[in-house]
Amino acid sequence: MSDILIIEDDGAFALALQDYLSSRGFTVDVVFSARRALDVVRWNPPRVVILDLFLPDANGLDLIPELSTAGVFIVVITGSEEVRLAVEAMRRGAHDFLVKPVDLEALALKLERNFPAESEHGLVGNSPAMRRVVEEAKLASRGRASVLILGETGVGKEEVARAIYRLSGRRGKFVAVNASAVPEALFESELFGHKRGAFTGASYSKKGLLEEAHGGVFFLDEISEMPPHLQAKLLRVLETRRLRRLGETRDVEVDFKFIASSNLSLDGVRQRLREDLFYRISTFIIEIPPLRERKEDILPLAKHFLREFGRDKGIFGLSPAAEELLQNYPWPGNVRELRNEIERACIVCGGKQLEPSHFSPNIRSRTRILTLEEMEREYIKKVVQLCGGNKSKAARLLGISRPTLRRKLSGKP
């Protein structure tokens, strides 16, 4: 799968754009006709499509709905300065609109901001909240300072921990353990290891998980569930970078980056841990908002999971009705619930795109349908965004007064 597909009939411009974006680290393919573009998108959808509206064999506007069903981000590009074309393109499903001559640097920065290379950190999401999490993960990856990740169950705390690991450049393992899943009687042996004969049943020496993480990252999920009597021992390891296996008389030096997580609030974690351990692990704190508070990430995540579960079955996208269904559901189980729903829908789907009927009854029954006023407000927001935040220009384009536009955006009657 390439990062970007350019659909453009101007060969010189398309190849120049391909060369420039390739130099910025993207993988870029170019096609010169609508027919070839649809073949590529159906069988190997990119992350982004840059689409010229004037093609030799089709009107680019007519391609947008089918491109949308493939779950790609669509940037329309044309030599026309007619703003109404931009509005129509956005209405049909485009996400952004550029006019030639294109500022290549600005385009590359926009793509890098919204679609960082997956190999860099692996996180999915374009919302301001998720971009903040990505930036914090980049900062947290530097050095050996401990990191505490907070968020509701299912928001993706381990994925953020793995992103920090990838960004850190550490060559050792990423070792993860859930504190609530390890029996208390085995916890000390699992984390710190043991010498042969250290206790009944210890028929061989074993490295602990902390030692396995040497040179890499150790991730302790739900640290608030850690047995109190072992918290002091963990604190000593984090402070001295040395540990002692059960039954041993010598310490072993260890070098790992420590990341912990919890589904409790910061105060909740503080209450469950020793005070000195709490301050040691909370050097850098990342809070991941629940999915219901970053609705902009629902469709990018859904389409990411669709590529994972649907490609081998020939499922290429979500119908508009399915997209609306997903966006209006509150997702109490967060990203984990969304992933499971997409996997289930791909199992029962018999066509090329997911429809509302493919999702579980729980999703369909709890989804709130937007009112006409809410749909109108969302459309106005898109037009304002298209006009670069210029509300006077947006009002003229929509055929309403500026006070009316402000009133409709505020939700007042």
Side-chain angles (χ1 to χ4, degrees):
M1 177 182 70
S2 63
D3 292 320
I4 301 169
L5 175 66
I6 300 172
I7 308 172
E8 168 66 67
D9 65 332
D10 183 340
F13 172 74
L15 295 176
L17 184 57
Q18 181 185 37
D19 287 344
Y20 183 79
L21 293 177
S22 296
S23 73
R24 300 294 289 257
F26 294 101
T27 55
V28 186
D29 291 330
V30 175
V31 295
F32 303 105
S33 68
R35 177 180 296 179
R36 176 60 182 150
L38 291 177
D39 285 342
V40 171
V41 170
R42 282 171 186 152
W43 296 108
N44 193 24
R47 304 173 72 195
V48 183
V49 163
I50 298 178
L51 171 66
D52 190 338
L53 290 182
F54 301 103
L55 298 170
D57 58 341
N59 183 334
L61 287 173
D62 296 333
L63 266 67
I64 294 174
E66 187 158 358
L67 293 174
S68 295
T69 64
V72 299
F73 187 92
I74 303 169
V75 178
V76 168
I77 186 169
T78 181
S80 172
E81 295 186 4
E82 177 55 68
V83 179
R84 293 191 181 277
L85 271 179
V87 174
E88 179 61 19
M90 299 285 281
R91 187 187 69 80
R92 297 193 186 196
H95 300 86
D96 207 343
F97 188 92
L98 298 173
V99 177
K100 294 178 183 177
V102 176
D103 183 335
L104 297 181
E105 174 70 13
L107 173 60
L109 289 173
K110 179 178 294 189
L111 293 173
E112 287 167 353
R113 183 172 63 251
N114 291 294
F115 297 93
E118 288 191 359
S119 59
E120 182 185 18
H121 54 68
L123 299 174
V124 178
N126 305 318
S127 68
M130 201 60 205
R131 288 200 293 269
R132 172 185 58 76
V133 169
V134 169
E135 289 306 312
E136 290 177 348
K138 290 178 180 178
L139 293 172
S141 69
R142 302 170 185 172
R144 297 197 306 186
S146 299
V147 182
L148 176 61
I149 303 173
L150 301 176
E152 294 180 4
T153 298
V155 294
K157 296 186 288 294
E158 183 170 339
E159 290 306 310
V160 173
R162 289 184 181 276
I164 293 171
Y165 167 64
R166 283 188 285 266
L167 291 164
S168 72
R170 286 180 164 265
R171 297 184 178 181
K173 297 178 183 178
F174 178 89
V175 178
V177 61
N178 188 313
S180 63
V182 181
E184 186 170 342
L186 300 177
F187 208 105
E188 186 171 9
S189 173
E190 286 295 308
L191 255 62
F192 300 98
H194 61 258
K195 181 182 178 181
R196 179 181 177 183
F199 52 86
T200 302
S203 56
Y204 57 91
S205 296
K206 175 189 172 183
K207 283 185 178 181
L209 295 174
L210 290 169
E211 196 173 345
E212 289 284 352
H214 180 73
V217 167
F218 181 80
F219 174 60
L220 183 57
D221 194 12
E222 304 304 343
I223 189 172
S224 53
E225 302 299 320
M226 187 176 189
H229 70 280
L230 293 180
Q231 293 180 19
K233 192 166 183 177
L234 174 62
L235 175 63
R236 181 179 181 276
V237 174
L238 296 180
E239 289 184 334
T240 65
R241 300 286 168 179
R242 303 174 70 87
L243 64 79
R244 184 175 297 179
R245 299 178 190 173
L246 284 173
E248 284 282 7
T249 57
R250 297 180 181 179
D251 288 346
V252 177
E253 290 189 4
V254 288
D255 173 25
F256 56 80
K257 187 174 184 68
F258 183 80
I259 304 176
S261 78
S262 177
N263 59 13
L264 300 178
S265 66
L266 188 61
D267 285 339
V269 176
R270 190 197 308 266
Q271 293 170 14
R272 299 288 289 272
L273 297 181
R274 292 171 52 107
E275 186 176 30
D276 46 7
L277 178 60
F278 171 78
Y279 288 119
R280 170 60 62 179
I281 68 167
S282 59
T283 308
F284 198 102
I285 299 171
I286 299 177
E287 297 188 47
I288 309 174
L291 191 54
R292 63 182 174 275
E293 293 180 7
R294 46 188 178 99
K295 287 184 174 292
E296 305 98 314
D297 294 336
I298 293 174
L299 290 184
L301 283 164
K303 292 168 183 177
H304 172 77
F305 297 137
L306 182 57
R307 291 189 183 103
E308 178 182 352
F309 298 117
R311 178 171 297 176
D312 292 343
K313 299 178 176 67
I315 305 170
F316 301 114
L318 296 152
S319 72
E323 289 187 354
E324 183 178 357
L325 182 81
L326 298 181
Q327 286 184 301
N328 292 322
Y329 179 69
W331 298 109
N334 292 295
V335 178
R336 183 180 294 125
E337 183 183 12
L338 175 59
R339 184 180 189 274
N340 291 342
E341 278 293 330
I342 296 296
E343 182 177 15
R344 177 195 182 278
C346 288
I347 291 172
V348 301
C349 177
K352 293 186 176 182
Q353 66 178 12
L354 300 183
E355 299 289 350
S357 60
H358 298 137
F359 293 93
S360 68
N362 181 54
I363 299 291
R364 299 198 302 272
S365 64
R366 293 184 59 184
T367 299
R368 185 179 68 83
I369 303 300
L370 291 177
T371 65
L372 287 174
E373 290 79 7
E374 289 171 327
M375 293 178 68
E376 180 185 53
R377 185 160 61 249
E378 290 301 314
Y379 180 73
I380 292 173
K381 286 180 182 178
K382 284 188 176 181
V383 175
V384 172
Q385 183 182 24
L386 176 66
C387 295
N390 188 323
K391 293 182 180 178
S392 297
K393 184 178 180 180
R396 288 197 301 272
L397 189 62
L398 292 165
I400 58 178
S401 67
R402 197 173 190 278
T404 299
L405 181 141
R406 293 177 62 183
R407 176 174 55 79
K408 289 181 178 292
L409 284 177
S410 69
K412 296 178 181 179

